[in-house]
Amino acid sequence: MEDSEKKAPSVIDRYFTRWYRTDLKGKVCEDHCILQHSNRICVITLAESHPILQNGRKIKNINYQISDGCSRLNNKVSGKSKRGGQFLTEFSPLCRITCTDEQEYTIFSCIRGRLLEVNEAILNKPDLLLEKPSTEGYVAVILPKFEESKSITEGLLTREQYEEVLMKRNQQEEPC
Amino acid sequence: MLYVILLSMLSLKEKDRPVVRKLLCAGCCVRCVLRFCCVGISSAYRRSYQDIHKELLAFVIEENSPSDDVKTDEPPNKRIRVEEDCVTPAETETETDSDICPVCLGVLQDFCDSTFAKQVSDAVKKQQYEFDSLVLTVSLPAQLSVREHSCWLHVKKEVREKSMCLGKDDVIQVKDAFKWAVQGKIGQELGAAVLANSPCEVSVGFVHPETEEDCHFLANTCPGCFKPTKNKASIFTRMAVVKALEKISDEKFSKHYPCPPKKPNTGCTALDTTCLHTSVFIAGRYNKFSRELPQTPWVIDGERRMDGSVEELIAAPLLSSFRADGFNFSSSGREDVDVRTLGNGRPFALELLNPHRSKFNRTEIKQLQETINQSSDKISVRYLQIVTREATSRMKEGEEEKTKTYSALIWTQKAIEDTDLEFLGNIKDLKIAQKTPLRVLHRRPLAVRQRLIHSMSAVYLDTHHFTLKLCTQAGTYIKEFVHGDFGRTKPNLCDLMKTEADILELDVESVDIDWPPAIPD
Ligand SMILES: [Zn+2]
């Protein structure tokens, strides 16, 4: 039965498409992964190659207060149409994560859309982000506009393109 | 002698005479005359136009016979002059005058004869309804209310002299007079009883473009009464016009509109007769045996994703037997495409819109159930029955409090043994908090809902698989309880078992709602 472990497709494989954005804002290896559900909803997560997930780093602090006037924790949506959610563009910051080595990283929205929720569970348990970055350690849920549900992923990398980027990086042996 | 007959047939009283005279002078049709004399005897309106006309004339003339002992303060010669002026055929009057009634615009004239009744009946027959009763509804041009008001002001004084307690409301409405005149004929043609209430509604309507502007002055006198509404082409709806007429003073009205109303050149035009039968509701319970069948048609971006659906399979034979225009399907909850519904099935109700046939006996319904069941092996139906609209609400009543039982095939990442599953059977009434699942979040509000997992039991299959039976509060998302939905359902089966877990198959085993009642075989 060992191989059934590999065979069984996960919830992500069944219902989501994986998209990537690498070297965000020119910062080497700061890769993000966008999981898009067939219903167009997107879950923003760290890609497995993100520096936070390397070399046994530990998280000191996660901060959703992205500016003096704006905290993602104040985001509230109501009704079926999700009125009142903060509107995000590709480079809207979602949160800042500081590691125990004082390195600070900004996680970005990567796509245009309405913010539905941020993951508050990682505030109390930052290890979730390190242990299960693509499921329970997600960062935010975003609802793209209906008419943009296809176009928002146009500038993103597919899983294959992402893997190519990783291969090239390894050949150049540029450490993250 | 003639005078006595008149009193009995049209039930006009001596004091009606001035009213009759004034109305005839204004060019009113004879049925409008009866209306303003408050004659509430339907048979009076059924008589032919010529008969009523003849008798009304005689009634007015009778007054002048020397044998008439009723007191009057007008000299006889003046009265005769009035008659000669007004109660004469139209040809002798001015050339532009038509013989169309200025109050009902012809509705109570030609449209009350058997030709129009036949025309309406033929339109109904064409649609091949099966019914034994019908209700007739009439829609009239809004300006008829303005003309009615004008005519009322014209004869108000005379009507009040007849009896102080009579008011505008005692005048017989055009609608009622029209129905009294024709509905019997329509019913006879169709072999159906015409009732005040019937599931089968036959609608006739009239329009009169020539006088549409009659209402327009009301928009200035009562602007508050006329607010644009989305679905109406004109702001001058009947309701709005009636409301404005209630508010306007008699003086103001007379300033803007002639009393009595002016004669039109043309009569009303009849709209196409339409028929509508009230919905029939059919209920039952269904099983779904396929993991590739959605409950309702599955359409994404305007394209169908899968062939068929539970509702279509059930509705198809019903639609053709009831000859309905369409249907609305509802059920007690719903299952996903890949979920089966086993056991006693899930309650459903189907509203059949505008059925042309609505009477089916038990045997016929049983045959219909058989037809549905033989049409596909993906579903089956039991307890099929005709129910009332009200009864269908029992299907949704207390939906949240009811319990549902499920059977799920679970995969675990960690290798398991039989004994690893025992603890699940000991968990009772587990409280879970579910955020709206991501898979439905695009169409449902974001919320956290508390749900109860009443009980669970597990049957071990192999080192990575087992069957989980669950009894839960209705409305619990089972798939999310198993895989956790990115940790958005807490606690979830992964938390309880301390391993990644996934749900491979799901069956609904029972929906605990006792409706519709079981039908023994
Ligand atoms: Zn009339």
Side-chain angles (χ1 to χ4, degrees):
Chain A
M1 285 313 292
E2 261 331 280
D3 55 5
S4 76
E5 233 172 273
K6 286 167 199 152
K7 258 194 243 162
S10 70
V11 172
I12 294 174
D13 295 321
R14 268 183 284 151
Y15 302 113
F16 292 83
T17 309
R18 292 177 161 92
W19 298 96
Y20 294 86
R21 189 169 277 251
T22 54
D23 306 323
L24 235 96
K25 285 226 164 178
K27 295 190 173 166
V28 179
C29 299
E30 293 194 19
D31 307 334
H32 290 42
C33 174
I34 301 97
L35 302 171
Q36 188 176 32
H37 194 277
S38 52
N39 68 12
R40 87 175 184 273
I41 279 179
C42 292
V43 181
I44 311 302
T45 71
L46 296 186
E48 59 252 40
S49 51
H50 196 283
I52 294 175
L53 304 177
Q54 314 308 317
N55 311 323
R57 274 206 172 84
K58 284 280 167 202
I59 293 171
K60 184 179 154 197
N61 177 259
I62 298 171
N63 191 356
Y64 281 116
Q65 182 89 39
I66 47 102
S67 71
D68 287 344
C70 181
S71 169
R72 299 304 183 201
L73 292 174
N74 294 334
N75 190 69
K76 286 229 160 51
V77 293
S78 66
K80 286 179 185 175
S81 56
K82 317 294 185 296
R83 284 180 308 275
Q86 298 171 3
F87 197 84
L88 308 170
T89 58
E90 292 163 57
F91 293 110
S92 299
L94 290 172
C95 66
R96 292 182 223 288
I97 300 177
T98 315
C99 291
T100 45
D101 58 10
E102 297 305 328
Q103 282 279 353
E104 191 192 86
Y105 302 91
T106 302
I107 312 303
F108 293 95
S109 164
C110 300
I111 54 155
R112 287 166 53 79
R114 200 176 286 281
L115 182 63
L116 298 189
E117 65 180 47
V118 292
N119 188 359
E120 292 183 34
I122 56 175
L123 292 176
N124 300 326
K125 244 181 121 183
D127 282 355
L128 277 179
L129 209 146
L130 304 176
E131 288 158 12
K132 298 173 176 175
S134 63
T135 57
E136 282 192 55
Y138 73 97
V139 176
V141 179
I142 297 172
L143 178 67
K145 286 184 182 174
F146 182 79
E147 60 274 22
E148 292 181 353
S149 52
K150 295 272 189 300
S151 61
I152 44 144
T153 53
E154 272 167 11
L156 304 177
L157 305 181
T158 63
R159 176 78 195 177
E160 287 80 43
Q161 289 168 327
Y162 169 67
E163 279 168 359
E164 271 171 42
V165 169
L166 293 190
M167 283 229 308
K168 276 183 195 155
R169 252 187 222 160
N170 283 343
Q171 284 158 8
Q172 290 165 351
E173 283 179 21
E174 230 179 71
C176 282
Chain B
M1 191 58 203
L2 180 61
Y3 181 75
V4 176
I5 293 168
L6 271 169
L7 282 182
S8 63
M9 287 185 116
L10 298 177
S11 76
L12 291 172
K13 304 276 170 0
E14 187 48 43
K15 282 187 171 175
D16 285 316
R17 216 181 293 273
V19 183
V20 174
R21 190 196 303 134
K22 220 170 169 186
L23 290 170
L24 289 175
C25 272
C28 286
C29 76
V30 297
R31 290 196 180 90
C32 281
V33 172
L34 295 183
R35 291 197 302 113
F36 278 91
C37 290
C38 308
V39 174
I41 298 161
S42 60
S43 59
Y45 296 84
R46 272 203 293 278
R47 308 187 52 207
S48 81
Y49 192 85
Q50 287 74 16
D51 284 357
I52 308 172
H53 191 240
K54 229 184 276 168
E55 287 168 23
L56 271 185
L57 285 188
F59 173 61
V60 180
I61 291 161
E62 186 70 17
E63 188 200 14
N64 306 303
S65 74
S67 65
D68 192 353
D69 60 349
V70 177
K71 273 196 287 170
T72 163
D73 50 6
E74 284 176 75
N77 60 337
K78 192 188 171 191
R79 264 173 271 131
I80 291 160
R81 208 180 56 236
V82 165
E83 274 148 43
E84 281 172 349
D85 282 353
C86 309
V87 194
T88 42
E91 295 89 61
T92 62
E93 298 180 3
T94 55
E95 271 177 278
T96 50
D97 256 354
S98 68
D99 56 357
I100 304 292
C101 172
V103 184
C104 68
L105 298 173
V107 170
L108 297 179
Q109 295 176 295
D110 293 345
F111 293 112
C112 288
D113 63 19
S114 43
T115 321
F116 185 65
K118 179 95 174 33
Q119 192 184 317
V120 170
S121 314
D122 286 348
V124 177
K125 278 181 194 164
K126 226 185 209 164
Q127 302 186 43
Q128 299 188 302
Y129 279 88
E130 288 180 33
F131 52 68
D132 33 47
S133 74
L134 64 91
V135 56
L136 184 68
T137 67
V138 186
S139 92
L140 299 169
Q143 62 267 33
L144 233 55
S145 302
V146 176
R147 289 178 168 262
E148 187 85 354
H149 192 69
S150 154
C151 190
W152 164 249
L153 295 184
H154 184 57
V155 295
K156 188 162 110 173
K157 192 173 145 270
E158 286 76 7
V159 174
R160 291 253 163 92
E161 269 165 20
K162 179 182 156 184
S163 165
M164 271 315 286
C165 56
L166 287 176
K168 195 183 172 189
D169 291 345
D170 295 297
V171 173
I172 305 301
Q173 295 197 8
V174 177
K175 239 178 224 191
D176 292 326
F178 175 78
K179 286 186 198 169
W180 289 342
V182 296
Q183 67 182 15
K185 295 183 186 112
I186 294 173
Q188 217 164 16
E189 285 280 344
L190 293 170
V194 186
L195 308 174
N197 265 310
S198 163
C200 190
E201 183 181 291
V202 173
S203 304
V204 297
F206 299 96
V207 288
H208 197 258
E210 183 194 334
T211 57
E212 246 161 35
E213 287 178 4
D214 278 1
C215 306
H216 291 188
F217 75 94
L218 290 170
N220 297 321
T221 67
C222 182
C225 294
F226 301 95
K227 300 239 166 74
T229 46
K230 269 180 198 164
N231 345 324
K232 302 278 180 190
S234 161
I235 55 166
F236 297 102
T237 62
R238 209 179 157 73
M239 294 277 281
V241 168
V242 168
K243 209 167 126 199
L245 289 171
E246 276 167 14
K247 292 194 174 169
I248 196 168
S249 70
D250 295 356
E251 294 70 35
K252 213 167 185 187
F253 183 89
S254 325
K255 219 181 278 173
H256 289 93
Y257 199 83
C259 293
K262 271 202 206 114
K263 278 203 152 203
N265 295 316
T266 57
C268 275
T269 310
L271 298 169
D272 286 342
T273 300
T274 59
C275 266
L276 189 67
H277 195 291
T278 53
S279 299
V280 167
F281 290 82
I282 290 223
R285 299 180 84 100
Y286 74 81
N287 288 120
K288 170 171 160 328
F289 303 116
S290 166
R291 296 196 191 281
E292 276 138 22
L293 183 71
Q295 193 204 42
T296 50
W298 195 17
V299 180
I300 297 177
D301 297 339
E303 262 179 65
R304 273 198 84 134
R305 284 300 168 93
M306 273 181 185
D307 276 340
S309 65
V310 173
E311 61 162 46
E312 286 166 292
L313 287 171
I314 295 174
L318 298 175
L319 274 178
S320 65
S321 299
F322 283 76
R323 290 188 284 126
D325 289 352
F327 69 88
N328 290 317
F329 183 87
S330 59
S331 62
S332 177
R334 58 188 299 160
E335 64 282 305
D336 292 339
V337 176
D338 54 356
V339 173
R340 299 188 300 178
T341 295
L342 309 175
N344 210 19
R346 183 189 296 278
F348 71 90
L350 200 81
E351 176 183 9
L352 292 160
L353 303 168
N354 193 16
H356 287 48
R357 181 187 166 187
S358 60
K359 292 237 156 64
F360 286 78
N361 63 30
R362 284 204 162 202
T363 322
E364 288 168 323
I365 294 289
K366 192 125 210 254
Q367 278 162 355
L368 277 170
Q369 176 173 303
E370 216 32 51
T371 309
I372 295 167
N373 289 341
Q374 272 162 15
S375 71
S376 167
D377 51 12
K378 292 179 178 173
I379 61 146
S380 84
V381 165
R382 75 188 74 193
Y383 308 159
L384 198 70
Q385 54 195 283
I386 294 182
V387 297
T388 62
R389 178 191 288 271
E390 292 71 44
T392 59
S393 65
R394 297 189 34 201
M395 192 172 66
K396 301 270 180 189
E397 245 166 52
E399 207 176 41
E400 296 273 291
E401 295 90 69
K402 299 287 178 175
T403 61
K404 298 201 176 179
T405 56
Y406 297 90
S407 173
L409 177 60
I410 309 291
W411 166 87
T412 60
Q413 187 187 44
K414 195 174 75 181
I416 50 166
E417 282 172 37
D418 203 351
T419 50
D420 294 332
L421 303 172
E422 278 168 9
F423 80 103
L424 291 170
N426 299 326
I427 298 175
K428 291 284 175 278
D429 288 332
L430 173 70
K431 262 189 210 146
I432 62 166
Q434 291 201 300
K435 278 189 188 154
T436 307
L438 290 175
R439 70 186 157 98
V440 298
L441 188 55
H442 61 301
R443 55 185 164 87
R444 303 234 171 112
L446 177 61
V448 185
R449 294 180 187 82
Q450 309 297 322
R451 292 285 183 260
L452 283 177
I453 310 283
H454 295 301
S455 63
M456 288 184 280
S457 66
V459 179
Y460 178 86
L461 295 174
D462 61 45
T463 47
H464 290 279
H465 297 89
F466 69 97
T467 302
L468 181 66
K469 303 250 180 201
L470 307 102
C471 176
T472 75
Q473 184 182 356
T476 308
Y477 291 104
I478 304 300
K479 290 175 178 174
E480 281 70 19
F481 168 68
V482 173
H483 61 59
D485 196 28
F486 291 75
R488 298 170 74 260
T489 288
K490 282 279 173 183
N492 52 58
L493 191 66
C494 305
D495 296 333
L496 299 176
M497 297 190 63
K498 298 183 178 68
T499 172
E500 290 297 302
D502 198 1
I503 183 164
L504 306 181
E505 283 176 1
L506 180 61
D507 293 331
V508 178
E509 296 282 356
S510 82
V511 180
D512 165 34
I513 287 177
D514 272 339
W515 188 89
I519 294 175
D521 279 323

